[in-house]
């Protein structure tokens, strides 16, 4: 059940960031934020997999 909560929070964070990117940022900034977000998602997945 804990994993489900983490995944839901992660999904909410992704949706929120994507919404903010669409409203505020330019193309280059979008790419940089997406890469940072992707790294964060990968790190969280690795932490939960252990």
């Amino acid at each position: 059940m804990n994993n489900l909560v983490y995944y839901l929070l992660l999904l909410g964070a992704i949706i929120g960031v994507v919404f903010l990117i669409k409203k505020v940022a330019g193309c280059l900034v979008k790419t940089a934020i997406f890469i940072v977000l992707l790294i964060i998602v990968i790190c969280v997945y690795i932490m939960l997999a252990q």
Side-chain angles (χ1 to χ4, degrees):
M1 191 66 180
N2 277 341
N3 285 345
L4 180 63
V5 173
Y6 285 122
Y7 289 127
L8 288 175
L9 289 174
L10 205 55
L11 182 62
I14 290 170
I15 292 171
V17 169
V18 168
F19 179 75
L20 287 175
I21 289 172
K22 284 187 176 190
K23 292 291 182 185
V24 176
C27 187
L28 185 60
V29 177
K30 286 182 187 179
T31 305
I33 292 174
F34 179 75
I35 291 171
V36 170
L37 182 63
L38 188 62
I39 291 170
I40 291 171
V41 169
I42 291 170
C43 288
V44 169
Y45 177 76
I46 290 171
M47 285 184 214
L48 289 177
Q50 293 179 357

